[in-house]
Amino acid sequence: METGSNSDSLDKAETSNGRGNKLGSMLPKIEPFVPKKDQNHNPRELRSWAKRTGFVSHLSGETGTASSTERFDSSTGFHVGKSGRDQRAGGSSPKIEIDPVLGRTRPNMGVEIEMDSGSGSGSRQGRKTVADGNGLGEKVEERKVGLNGNGVENGNGNGKGNGVASVTPLVVEEKDEEGKGGRDVEIGMYPEGEEQGHEGGNGHHPGLKVGLRDNPGLGALIYYGLQHFLSLAGSLIFIPSVMVPAMGGTDKDTASVISTMLLVSGISTILHSYFGTRLPLVQGSSFIYLAPALVIINARDYRNLTEHKFRHIMRELQGAIIVGSIFQSILGFSGLMSLLLRLINPVVVAPTVAAVGLAFFSYGFPQAGSCIEVSVPLLLLVLICTLYLRGISIFGHRLFRIYAVPLSVTITWIYAFFLTAGGAYDYKGCSPDIPSSNILVDECRKHAYTMKHCRADASNAWRTAAWVRIPYPLQWGVPIFHFRTSLIMIIVSLVASVDSQVGTYHSASLLVSSKPPTPGVVSRGIALEGFCSLLAGIWGSGTGSTTLTENTHTINITKMASRRALVFGALFLILFSVVGKVGAILASIPLSLAAAILCFMWALVVAVGLSTLQYTQTASFRNITIVGVSLFLGLSIPTYFQQYQPESILMLPSYFVPYAAASDGPVHTINEQLDFSINALLSMSMVVTLLVAFVLDNTVPGSRDERGVYIWSCAEDVATDPSLQLDYSLPGKFSSLCCRSSCLRA
């Protein structure tokens, strides 16, 4: 290897312009590669040419074969070194693009090297000190600018574009070796955003411990999978604690519904990991379906039932969920979702998702306040773990931040056991096992509410649940179909699609992949969510299945994005669902504890929803007006509909009154079922907020940058970026069976 000539040429290039302001002169002139035989490139010839021209050189004194840190890329014919990883992870080296065949520098394709002049929105930046001949240094800033489909710089907050140049052919990295004066020049060639550390390239995104296609080993997969589901425990298990008692169900029914939810969530997550968007997103019972379920449960026709109330209402919910899920599947498979993508932007998504959490403010603390000595310590503990102890690392893991919910619930539950065992809720002559309706002594009737909500042993789910119980389809009976409830779930499934498609899919893709999915992939994910909701309706979980909004928060905390790990976690979820005692333990959590942790979960949903405004110009008067008006009317209009129910105020607990407007609302037409549906829909905050925000955002003028229009990948990206295909394409033979135009492209 002609080390000396290369070193001289580099030195001349560095000093030819005084202080070396032009980094392009740092490279020697490179002769083009001409193969000796008219056939495929010989790796040895390529290696020899790379050494001779300086493409792969170790100028610090090492000569001979290429470094062991490099590997030969058979698809490109060049050695790929570690420098690519370091460059993307830290962004600390200037990048110069070189045509590998012509041997000349290429025009700048979205990569710009300039003097340090400040930071720009939506860009990734790095700084490097380039030494000059006098031993001085100057800072050079590297800025990668996103391009949209037309090659125009994308200046909005997405930080991602439909980049026309998805491959960075060559990266020249220059690094000093602890003052020795030597430099290593290494060239990397790989698709932009694809990591190198694993065989075949596993798409390890910067900042993640485990990438989307990584396989860290069986033990790590099990650990990360369980970790992901444990961090979402609040969303997965506490919805039945609210619904089943309101439906007149027993503790045993609550345990059965929890087991059913675990089973459906596990199956749905596995299906989504293989046939949906293939992003590491947990599917489960969402809070989006909780509000309409409570509206149906508290309607006059159902709250007056006496016999088999729980089973009848569950069958009614099953029928409505099945109809709504079929509509959602049609929306995805038909491609209509791709059309809606053009009309739904962050200004619509942010207030809609926030309204999902705000809708439960009348239930949250009023229910948690039934036992303040237990619920308040739980709220304080979960806030301390998530906010004050979030930076503490134990054995390299931020346990307080990742396991804030299960850790806080466990500690507070143990505290409640001590209070119960110590006699804090023992009243003379009163038994917690006797239902309040059967209590004859007035003194005991006064304490029945406290005993039910505070005692850690108030539930008899553990005593009545079987060790093994396999949830099966139609376990509650044949679903009941009514137009009024079906129409409600159709609209709610549309809200769930909006939340998933742009709120969660887009945010999660920016965390785990180099680019967002195509509209076709989004449609595929929505269609599969509809199918999973169909399974939830058939099994009878009480709510539909959708992508949990808290997923992005979990991925950001745990830095775990492996879909393999999620599949392992889902398998454990299915295993736990058939062990009846697991559901019984979860059903035994006091209702005040469940309400307290739900206060935190609903607040987190509000925060995650509003965080999507980062993709817009938040200082824009247009945007803040639309968001403010949407949220205010989304809370105020339902309150107007909820006041037309004088009978409900006398019959229902105060925290259920807002969900009883379907039967007594102000809308009266010639069709009673239509009246029921309209009154129910307009009494739900998320529906009103979505309607107002959608109309305003699509009628009020505003630029693309101001509105923060979501940028999705396009068909050209799929053809030019192999990592995009590996991230989102269907596995194995399913990819060839599925038409590419409907499964991968817009």
Side-chain angles (χ1 to χ4, degrees):
M1 180 175 180
E2 300 173 3
T3 309
S5 61
N6 286 329
S7 179
D8 294 338
S9 60
L10 279 174
D11 293 338
K12 289 179 181 179
E14 189 176 10
T15 57
S16 61
N17 196 24
R19 294 172 57 87
N21 291 333
K22 296 182 178 179
L23 295 178
S25 62
M26 294 169 58
L27 292 174
K29 293 183 178 179
I30 300 173
E31 63 184 71
F33 171 69
V34 180
K36 294 181 180 180
K37 299 179 181 180
D38 296 333
Q39 56 183 5
N40 294 334
H41 295 166
N42 189 334
R44 293 185 178 179
E45 291 182 23
L46 286 171
R47 187 181 296 111
S48 176
W49 169 79
K51 290 181 180 179
R52 185 172 64 256
T53 57
F55 266 70
V56 180
S57 62
H58 294 269
L59 304 182
S60 57
E62 293 184 18
T63 59
T65 60
S67 170
S68 61
T69 61
E70 301 164 355
R71 64 176 177 84
F72 187 83
D73 190 335
S74 59
S75 62
T76 60
F78 290 94
H79 284 274
V80 184
K82 270 190 175 179
S83 58
R85 169 181 293 186
D86 298 336
Q87 191 274 333
R88 278 185 308 284
S92 59
S93 302
K95 296 168 66 175
I96 300 174
E97 296 187 7
I98 299 175
D99 192 308
V101 177
L102 300 180
R104 65 190 182 200
T105 56
R106 295 182 56 177
N108 195 342
M109 297 290 291
V111 180
E112 178 179 335
I113 302 179
E114 61 184 22
M115 293 299 298
D116 184 10
S117 59
S119 61
S121 174
S123 62
R124 296 194 300 269
Q125 299 179 352
R127 293 187 176 88
K128 181 184 189 305
T129 302
V130 181
D132 62 351
N134 300 324
L136 300 176
E138 61 187 9
K139 288 184 178 179
V140 179
E141 177 185 79
E142 174 201 27
R143 182 173 62 192
K144 296 182 67 176
V145 182
L147 302 176
N148 62 20
N150 299 323
V152 182
E153 178 179 344
N154 173 25
N156 64 27
N158 288 343
K160 297 283 180 186
N162 299 333
V164 294
S166 60
V167 176
T168 303
L170 294 169
V171 179
V172 178
E173 178 173 356
E174 179 187 358
K175 51 186 177 182
D176 297 332
E177 291 192 1
E178 299 178 358
K180 294 180 182 179
R183 297 182 182 90
D184 289 348
V185 180
E186 296 182 347
I187 305 294
M189 185 170 186
Y190 40 79
E192 183 174 346
E194 183 174 340
E195 278 298 318
Q196 290 266 140
H198 302 275
E199 222 172 20
N202 286 333
H204 196 128
H205 199 265
L208 293 177
K209 293 179 181 178
V210 183
L212 183 62
R213 287 174 272 120
D214 283 354
N215 185 6
L218 181 61
L221 287 175
I222 295 175
Y223 169 75
Y224 286 124
L226 290 175
Q227 168 186 274
H228 202 92
F229 281 93
L230 279 174
S231 63
L232 292 170
S235 301
L236 291 172
I237 64 176
F238 287 117
I239 290 180
S241 300
V242 177
M243 287 180 52
V244 177
M247 297 165 66
T250 62
D251 296 330
K252 183 180 179 180
D253 293 330
T254 303
S256 299
V257 173
I258 290 178
S259 296
T260 304
M261 282 191 171
L262 295 179
L263 175 67
V264 173
S265 180
I267 295 175
S268 302
T269 301
I270 293 175
L271 290 176
H272 192 84
S273 298
Y274 284 104
F275 307 110
T277 61
R278 307 210 69 196
L279 290 168
L281 299 174
V282 174
Q283 308 293 302
S285 297
S286 173
F287 296 125
I288 294 177
Y289 286 96
L290 178 57
L294 290 176
V295 168
I296 294 174
I297 291 169
N298 290 286
R300 186 193 307 124
D301 296 347
Y302 306 117
R303 63 172 178 253
N304 294 332
L305 293 175
T306 55
E307 294 184 2
H308 308 294
K309 178 180 179 180
F310 168 75
R311 286 181 174 269
H312 185 86
I313 296 178
M314 179 62 78
R315 291 163 58 200
E316 190 80 41
L317 290 175
Q318 285 182 260
I321 292 169
I322 289 174
V323 174
S325 64
I326 293 175
F327 169 80
Q328 190 176 17
S329 294
I330 294 174
L331 196 66
F333 284 126
S334 65
L336 293 175
M337 195 88 267
S338 299
L339 300 178
L340 285 177
L341 284 176
R342 305 173 185 176
L343 303 176
I344 299 173
N345 299 306
V347 178
V348 178
V349 175
T352 302
V353 178
V356 173
L358 291 174
F360 300 103
F361 74 92
S362 62
Y363 178 90
F365 199 79
Q367 185 74 303
S370 60
C371 190
I372 292 181
E373 60 269 28
V374 174
S375 59
V376 171
L378 175 56
L379 273 174
L380 293 177
L381 188 58
V382 72
L383 290 176
I384 290 172
C385 290
T386 54
L387 297 178
Y388 296 98
L389 303 180
R390 58 179 178 169
I392 297 179
S393 179
I394 300 177
F395 301 112
H397 301 280
R398 296 187 175 181
L399 300 180
F400 294 107
R401 194 175 181 187
I402 297 173
Y403 304 112
V405 171
L407 188 63
S408 301
V409 170
T410 302
I411 294 175
T412 312
W413 198 4
I414 294 174
Y415 163 67
F417 267 111
F418 278 110
L419 289 179
T420 303
Y425 308 113
D426 290 340
Y427 302 98
K428 186 177 180 180
C430 303
S431 173
D433 298 327
I434 301 177
S436 57
S437 58
N438 296 338
I439 295 177
L440 301 178
V441 183
D442 292 337
E443 190 67 24
C444 291
R445 192 179 292 114
K446 251 188 341 184
H447 301 302
Y449 189 78
T450 301
M451 290 190 293
K452 178 182 177 182
H453 288 77
C454 299
R455 290 186 67 94
D457 60 353
S459 173
N460 62 358
W462 177 263
R463 297 188 293 270
T464 57
W467 276 100
V468 177
R469 182 189 182 275
I470 301 177
Y472 55 92
L474 306 181
Q475 57 187 325
W476 313 115
V478 180
I480 300 174
F481 298 92
H482 282 127
F483 171 77
R484 56 184 181 181
T485 54
S486 299
L487 181 60
I488 293 174
M489 284 301 176
I490 286 175
I491 302 300
V492 170
S493 67
L494 181 61
V495 178
S497 300
V498 171
D499 176 31
S500 297
Q501 69 163 353
V502 279
T504 309
Y505 289 174
H506 193 276
S507 300
S509 67
L510 300 186
L511 289 174
V512 306
S513 181
S514 58
K515 289 183 180 178
T518 64
V521 173
V522 174
S523 296
R524 192 178 73 205
I526 295 300
L528 191 71
E529 282 193 16
F531 177 74
C532 294
S533 290
L534 178 64
L535 297 181
I538 294 174
W539 255 268
S541 63
T543 65
S545 178
T546 186
T547 301
L548 299 182
T549 308
E550 302 88 331
N551 267 285
T552 53
H553 175 71
T554 300
I555 295 173
N556 194 33
I557 291 176
T558 62
K559 306 302 180 185
M560 192 287 300
S562 172
R563 54 187 171 220
R564 288 189 181 93
L566 236 63
V567 169
F568 272 87
L571 291 175
F572 275 96
L573 221 60
I574 296 174
L575 177 63
F576 294 150
S577 69
V578 302
V579 181
K581 293 298 185 181
V582 173
I585 292 175
L586 299 175
S588 301
I589 297 176
L591 193 56
S592 58
L593 281 184
I597 205 63
L598 283 173
C599 287
F600 172 77
M601 299 303 301
W602 288 327
L604 186 60
V605 171
V606 176
V608 171
L610 294 178
S611 69
T612 58
L613 289 174
Q614 64 182 306
Y615 303 122
T616 71
Q617 292 182 3
T618 53
S620 167
F621 178 77
R622 172 194 181 276
N623 293 345
I624 60 178
T625 301
I626 292 176
V627 173
V629 170
S630 302
L631 276 177
F632 180 81
L633 292 181
L635 296 175
S636 187
I637 291 178
T639 304
Y640 168 76
F641 277 78
Q642 293 161 8
Q643 68 183 355
Y644 287 90
Q645 40 188 336
E647 295 180 4
S648 303
I649 296 176
L650 300 176
M651 298 177 61
L652 292 175
S654 59
Y655 45 80
F656 280 145
V657 170
Y659 305 103
S663 302
D664 304 303
V667 176
H668 297 284
T669 65
I670 58 175
N671 191 318
E672 291 186 1
Q673 295 208 34
L674 186 61
D675 295 344
F676 184 94
S677 300
I678 295 176
N679 286 321
L681 290 171
L682 293 181
S683 67
M684 289 187 285
S685 298
M686 59 182 179
V687 175
V688 178
T689 303
L690 173 62
L691 181 63
V692 175
F694 181 83
V695 172
L696 291 179
D697 185 53
N698 288 282
T699 55
V700 178
S703 64
R704 289 175 61 88
D705 288 346
E706 184 179 20
R707 297 174 65 192
V709 176
Y710 284 114
I711 297 180
W712 304 94
S713 298
C714 59
E716 288 75 13
D717 295 326
V718 177
T720 58
D721 192 348
S723 65
L724 193 62
Q725 285 188 336
L726 293 174
D727 286 346
Y728 300 116
S729 62
L730 292 174
K733 297 180 180 179
F734 291 98
S735 182
S736 58
L737 292 176
C738 183
C739 179
R740 179 170 293 185
S741 61
S742 62
C743 290
L744 265 178
R745 301 187 179 187

